[in-house]
Amino acid sequence: QTLQCTIISHLQKKNDPMWNQIQKEIDESIDYIYRSSDRIKSTGEIFTPSELIVSLFKDVDIDRFAPKKTFLDPACGDGQFLMGVKLVKMYFHNMTEESALEDVYGIDIMRDNVDICKKRLGGGCIVMGNTLHPKKRLEGQTETEFCFMNENF
């Protein structure tokens, strides 16, 4: 019976109209910047469409985003996934924006992506760094970001 209740609860959450609102807010929060084909080749940047993000979140137990559950995006780009995490925490776990962002971390190798992500989310711990080589100093990385990467990875 507990399994049956869990399945019913999951299906209800999967069909919740709130997902449309989350996708709308992700789309509205995007701050497009031009990225040259050379940059895309050198950085491997791929930005995930909001439809795919919402689809992925629907298939994951959203209790993984409950209060005090940490989420790290090691290649956060402009914050597309992190924006979804923030909104799931707010809408499905009734968290304030501030409390939703307490457990959200993002890292990216590109300064402009980090700055856009910070602006887009309005909080969270978003830093410039290289998760594959955390001790490597990046051009444009602040001293605080460099220390964060060295202390935590």
Side-chain angles (χ1 to χ4, degrees):
Q1 186 175 8
T2 304
L3 178 60
Q4 185 179 15
C5 290
T6 301
I7 291 169
I8 290 170
S9 175
H10 177 71
L11 289 174
Q12 287 172 338
K13 289 177 183 175
K14 192 171 183 173
N15 295 318
D16 193 310
M18 191 56 65
W19 290 114
N20 294 331
Q21 180 65 28
I22 289 172
Q23 183 172 333
K24 180 181 176 212
E25 288 189 41
I26 291 171
D27 287 338
E28 290 175 350
S29 70
I30 295 173
D31 187 7
Y32 292 101
I33 63 169
Y34 172 75
R35 292 169 176 89
S36 70
S37 58
D38 287 342
R39 173 178 162 156
I40 293 169
K41 284 179 190 174
S42 70
T43 62
E45 289 175 289
I46 296 175
F47 294 89
T48 311
S50 59
E51 298 85 10
L52 180 56
I53 289 170
V54 170
S55 177
L56 291 169
F57 282 136
K58 283 181 177 182
D59 288 335
V60 172
D61 179 2
I62 60 172
D63 288 336
R64 290 177 182 240
F65 307 105
K68 303 299 178 198
K69 296 280 186 169
T70 300
F71 187 87
L72 167 67
D73 187 341
C76 67
D78 63 2
Q80 190 81 331
F81 271 97
L82 295 179
M83 189 66 183
V85 170
K86 171 185 152 177
L87 295 170
V88 167
K89 284 176 167 278
M90 290 172 61
Y91 289 127
F92 286 100
H93 296 291
N94 299 315
M95 297 172 73
T96 65
E97 182 177 26
E98 185 177 303
S99 64
L101 290 168
E102 286 176 0
D103 308 315
V104 171
Y105 296 85
I107 302 168
D108 200 84
I109 60 172
M110 302 301 294
R111 171 89 271 145
D112 56 351
N113 285 341
V114 169
D115 294 341
I116 290 169
C117 184
K118 285 180 180 182
K119 178 182 171 189
R120 186 176 190 188
L121 293 176
C125 181
I126 313 302
V127 299
M128 183 180 187
N130 184 333
T131 53
L132 296 177
H133 306 284
K135 309 285 188 227
K136 180 180 177 185
R137 182 73 179 228
L138 300 177
E139 184 179 330
Q141 186 180 41
T142 67
E143 186 63 29
T144 302
E145 291 169 328
F146 182 70
C147 290
F148 177 86
M149 293 300 295
N150 274 284
E151 292 169 7
N152 293 288
F153 293 93

